[in-house]
Amino acid sequence: MGGLLPLIEHGIKKPVWDCRMCGQCVLHSTGMTCPMTCPKTLRNGPCGGVREDGHCEVVPEMRCIWVKAHDRSQHMPLLPRSWREEFDHLRPPVNNALQGQSSWLNLLNGRDRVTPPGWAASEAHA
Amino acid sequence: MSPTSPNAFEVLCQTRTRPVVTAEFPSFDGGTLDDIRAAAEKLAPWVDAINVTDNPAAHAHASNTAMAIALTQLGFNPILQVVCRDKNRLAIQSDIVGVSMFGVQNICALTGDDVTAGDEPEARRVYDLDGPQLIKVATIMGTGMYLSGRKMKTAPHLFVGAVENPTAPPLEYRAERALKKVNAGARFLQLQIHYRPEQLEAFIAACVANGVAERAAILPTVCLTKAARALSFMNDSVPGISVPAATIERVATSVDPKEESYQLVRELAEHALSIPGVAGLHITDFRHDDSVRRLTEDLAIGPRFEEQHAHSA
């Protein structure tokens, strides 16, 4: 199961979203646009280098992932409102230990929501 | 300055008794402490804090931490810029706690230009944290613990800020992104160099509406240049900066491009300071003459004008 599930997940999500198998999927909160395809792997919005035409600082021929994500989170049909609202949430640092794992499994067992204790403490505090 | 009490820049960002003025320190590629002192003495009388950059435009220079420690030891007040491009979360945290032991308090978190903007595009880009995450990590460190939750011996006094670009797409999202940064702990926001007053106005208005302008000191940025070529260069080569063709034309066709460049910046600065919600000004200087002094004097801003503001208040 541990070996098969990531394969199945990758087989589906790679062609559709260019999934990078970070193992902690946030697609639903980013307008169904994978932030790990941003050359800087930014998970909290666009950097300041976005070109005037909305294209990427690093890959000029590519539309900025976050320009796309922002647009889609607002306008994509059938996206639940709670998902749209999650766009503005502060997503924690990537847990690099989950790379390559199935995010479906990590969603079910809650591992994708575990944050470092310092982060968790400050969230509890806020 | 005691490492545990707020520094003058922090106090001013909070009280806003007069406009806050910051400026960018030049990059160093060798030299001595005397060179650092000489450069700081040229800037310090006119500004409230000095930004030390972190490998700007993805070019290696003397490290941000070394420069910030030097400035602090020489009696100046630095703002340590930290970018996410070059170091992972471990290295960034050790840098911050390290400089804090020398009395460096002001931290400005940036995503950072990509390695492809620099002269070593073959380098591995890191971005283990992103800008908003870095703000939060620095804020957590100010409570006396690392991201891991491990306690420090003493909590460093940190005043954390960030940057935002009011003129990069998606324009309508930039103030929300600023809010995300303020929610993460940013208490000052130094903006990207701008040449589009109308976009700055829209951004500030949105920051007033969503509370950012009240919770963080917003400092728009102007860039002192000498010629139209510098403007064209920024427009073509610096990620996230666009300069209207008419602005470049204005400088290019003037009888005295150097003076016209100054007047352009003066107008941009004057306009920025006139917008309700703006707390001050950040100045970058590629002229390397006495223009920082001239600008702050012409606008009557900065530490030299403390008393005047006290009287008029």
Side-chain angles (χ1 to χ4, degrees):
Chain A
M1 185 77 174
L4 194 58
L5 202 56
L7 268 178
I8 297 169
E9 182 171 341
H10 193 59
I12 296 169
K13 286 165 74 175
K14 171 75 184 171
V16 184
W17 291 291
D18 196 12
C19 169
R20 305 297 164 96
M21 293 301 285
C22 69
Q24 49 219 292
C25 191
V26 292
L27 261 181
H28 69 283
S29 68
T30 56
M32 304 308 286
T33 308
C34 175
M36 302 313 276
T37 61
C38 160
K40 299 182 183 178
T41 61
L42 304 180
R43 283 169 84 95
N44 284 294
C47 71
V50 183
R51 291 163 194 268
E52 218 181 348
D53 61 0
H55 281 222
C56 173
E57 164 194 339
V58 185
V59 188
E61 58 279 10
M62 179 176 85
R63 194 161 170 238
C64 164
I65 294 303
W66 279 100
V67 168
K68 239 193 283 190
H70 179 251
D71 188 40
R72 289 177 178 169
S73 83
Q74 296 204 315
H75 301 118
M76 186 181 259
L78 304 177
L79 208 62
R81 207 171 91 191
S82 62
W83 289 10
R84 290 186 208 279
E85 284 165 358
E86 265 189 65
F87 186 82
D88 288 329
H89 289 187
L90 179 64
R91 281 165 283 276
V94 169
N95 178 353
N96 288 286
L98 302 185
Q99 174 68 41
Q101 297 181 8
S102 165
S103 73
W104 295 338
L105 203 59
N106 290 334
L107 175 70
L108 287 175
N109 63 26
R111 211 178 299 161
D112 67 347
R113 291 185 293 289
V114 177
T115 54
W119 188 278
S122 80
E123 294 279 274
H125 194 68
Chain B
M1 172 171 53
S2 148
T4 53
S5 59
N7 66 80
F9 168 69
E10 172 176 355
V11 171
L12 193 56
C13 283
Q14 308 278 18
T15 60
R16 312 213 192 144
T17 46
R18 62 168 173 82
V20 189
V21 184
T22 57
E24 213 133 296
F25 204 51
S27 300
F28 278 73
D29 300 297
T32 66
L33 209 52
D34 286 334
D35 299 324
I36 297 174
R37 183 191 285 110
E41 279 171 350
K42 272 180 72 180
L43 270 183
W46 321 109
V47 302
D48 298 300
I50 301 171
N51 279 60
V52 295
T53 52
D54 187 2
N55 291 348
H59 288 66
H61 295 288
S63 74
N64 56 341
T65 49
M67 300 306 286
I69 291 168
L71 286 182
T72 306
Q73 301 243 303
L74 292 167
F76 302 101
N77 189 11
I79 298 170
L80 179 83
Q81 289 191 350
V82 182
V83 304
C84 300
R85 177 194 57 237
D86 301 332
K87 294 179 176 179
N88 72 5
R89 62 192 82 176
L90 290 177
I92 287 176
Q93 289 181 93
S94 65
D95 278 354
I96 292 174
V97 71
V99 296
S100 79
M101 293 173 69
F102 289 86
V104 177
Q105 298 183 336
N106 308 308
I107 309 286
C108 182
L110 296 78
T111 305
D113 294 325
D114 187 67
V115 293
T116 49
D119 58 356
E120 303 194 48
E122 318 78 3
R124 175 189 285 255
R125 57 175 75 89
V126 180
Y127 300 109
D128 185 33
L129 301 173
D130 64 25
Q133 290 164 354
L134 172 55
I135 296 164
K136 178 88 155 184
V137 168
T139 303
I140 291 167
M141 292 179 75
T143 68
M145 68 170 97
Y146 294 97
L147 179 60
S148 69
R150 181 162 47 90
K151 292 258 188 303
M152 298 173 191
K153 191 176 171 205
T154 51
H157 181 89
L158 299 176
F159 183 55
V160 181
V163 297
E164 190 46 68
N165 189 343
T167 65
L171 294 177
E172 66 284 7
Y173 176 65
R174 290 291 164 181
E176 284 172 59
R177 181 162 162 80
L179 178 61
K180 182 181 259 198
K181 291 177 176 177
V182 168
N183 285 338
R187 292 296 169 261
F188 64 92
L189 288 175
Q190 295 175 310
L191 306 185
Q192 177 59 287
I193 298 164
H194 84 285
Y195 290 93
R196 299 192 179 268
E198 71 291 349
Q199 289 181 357
L200 178 69
E201 261 178 51
F203 172 80
I204 302 289
C207 286
V208 169
N210 69 10
V212 164
E214 196 194 326
R215 295 168 64 197
I218 302 180
L219 312 178
T221 299
V222 291
C223 180
L224 290 159
T225 52
K226 276 182 190 167
R229 207 179 47 238
L231 299 177
S232 305
F233 172 79
M234 271 193 278
N235 186 53
D236 299 337
S237 308
V238 180
I241 301 182
S242 75
V243 189
T247 306
I248 301 175
E249 191 67 15
R250 168 183 159 183
V251 173
T253 57
S254 71
V255 283
D256 184 352
K258 199 175 168 193
E259 178 59 19
E260 194 66 19
S261 296
Y262 174 79
Q263 291 303 333
L264 169 71
V265 169
R266 187 192 152 144
E267 283 167 28
L268 286 166
E270 230 163 10
H271 169 263
L273 288 165
S274 76
I275 306 172
V278 164
L281 195 67
H282 180 61
I283 304 166
T284 53
D285 178 19
F286 295 117
R287 283 171 76 103
H288 308 301
D289 52 15
D290 64 346
S291 294
V292 171
R293 172 184 185 160
R294 184 180 172 197
L295 184 65
T296 55
E297 285 185 342
D298 283 355
L299 299 172
I301 55 171
R304 288 285 162 101
F305 296 90
E306 186 102 59
E307 278 187 22
Q308 189 180 315
H309 281 271
H311 289 312
S312 63

